[in-house]
Amino acid sequence: MMEVIFQFLLTYGGKHFSDLILIAMFGFMLYYTYKAKKENRKTREEIVEDRRRVIPALSEKMRSVVRKSAIVNRELDAMTGDLEADRGWLYVFHNMGYDFVGQPFAKVTNTNESTAPGVASRLNQMKDVPIGLMSCFIDQMIEDGEVFYSDIEDIKESDRTAYNHLKKLNIKSTYAICLFCPRPEHMPPNGSDRSSKGDIPIGFVGVDYIKDKKELDDEEIKKLKYHAMIIKGILMGKNEQENQRACAVNGNPESYYKVDNY
């Protein structure tokens, strides 16, 4: 194409050859400038279209995370109020990296909390807490599904690490329920009679008493387990919390308070 144009200019250009060359060069510049702008506009449109596809998905995911956290906080508020506790909390198990032999550094993080008026928040202090800080406490909780200390002075000799940790936080009484994620083989198709034997612990929910120690009675323990099950349902993305509330409304919450259903 370029050779044909050049031959034309040589044959018919004559004395105006230089002028024709300039005009042709100017024409080519306009053409390629237009083409480059068109391609650039197409690229920008593709980028915008990609963003239109990706951003809503990310935005919805973020909204979902915020909604879930807000629901957990409201449930912690309800639990703290029902039990007249000074602080209600949710801890989640996780790991951050691996040691030299490939073992994960197991940790827990306090992700949500509710505090009574005048009680200081511990949320920022309890991030990436090594399991070793309360290993005996957590081991008992995973084994039994719960840990109830109406007076932390009772564990001063049996679990010094947990005692020192709780004492440092000015906690006088603490109650915790372990939450388990059931394995597929432990989930019957109809979701009934689920067993947590061999399940994966995902975290624990509980309350602290800081101003004064308190021993919860049976009815209060049921309330604690009730709220723990609702929070578990929220974390699992299930509708278990609706089942829990419906059960309570029907006056039969006890069916959800099995130790092997945490």
Side-chain angles (χ1 to χ4, degrees), residues 56-208:
L58 293 175
S59 178
E60 180 55 34
K61 184 174 182 180
M62 178 55 68
R63 282 197 293 268
S64 176
V65 169
V66 172
R67 280 196 301 266
K68 181 180 287 188
S69 183
I71 295 171
V72 168
N73 281 353
R74 283 194 286 271
E75 197 60 42
L76 288 176
D77 287 342
M79 179 178 70
T80 304
D82 282 350
L83 299 175
E84 299 181 341
D86 295 314
R87 183 170 178 265
W89 39 259
L90 166 66
Y91 280 81
V92 175
F93 294 111
H94 62 96
N95 66 67
M96 295 284 288
Y98 297 83
D99 61 22
F100 288 117
V101 295
Q103 295 297 317
F105 292 117
K107 296 184 179 182
V108 293
T109 287
N110 186 182
T111 59
N112 299 77
E113 74 170 357
S114 172
T115 57
V119 176
S121 170
R122 301 293 182 185
L123 205 59
N124 290 331
Q125 298 173 248
M126 304 307 293
K127 295 179 179 178
D128 300 332
V129 179
I131 292 292
L133 183 63
M134 298 184 72
S135 55
C136 294
F137 177 94
I138 293 173
D139 180 57
Q140 179 186 342
M141 184 173 54
I142 292 175
E143 182 66 25
D144 299 336
E146 60 191 32
V147 168
F148 300 155
Y149 293 152
S150 58
D151 186 350
I152 68 163
E153 295 299 325
D154 294 340
I155 64 167
K156 186 173 183 178
E157 300 300 326
S158 59
D159 189 353
R160 285 185 175 275
T161 304
Y163 171 78
N164 290 332
H165 171 69
L166 296 171
K167 191 74 172 178
K168 184 178 179 181
L169 297 176
N170 297 318
I171 295 171
K172 295 180 173 61
S173 302
T174 189
Y175 298 82
I177 300 292
C178 194
L179 307 179
F180 294 92
C181 174
R183 299 180 190 275
E185 61 269 26
H186 299 137
M187 285 291 292
N190 62 2
S192 63
D193 299 324
R194 184 175 73 244
S195 171
S196 66
K197 301 296 189 296
D199 287 0
I200 304 168
I202 57 175
F204 47 102
V205 175
V207 291
D208 295 331

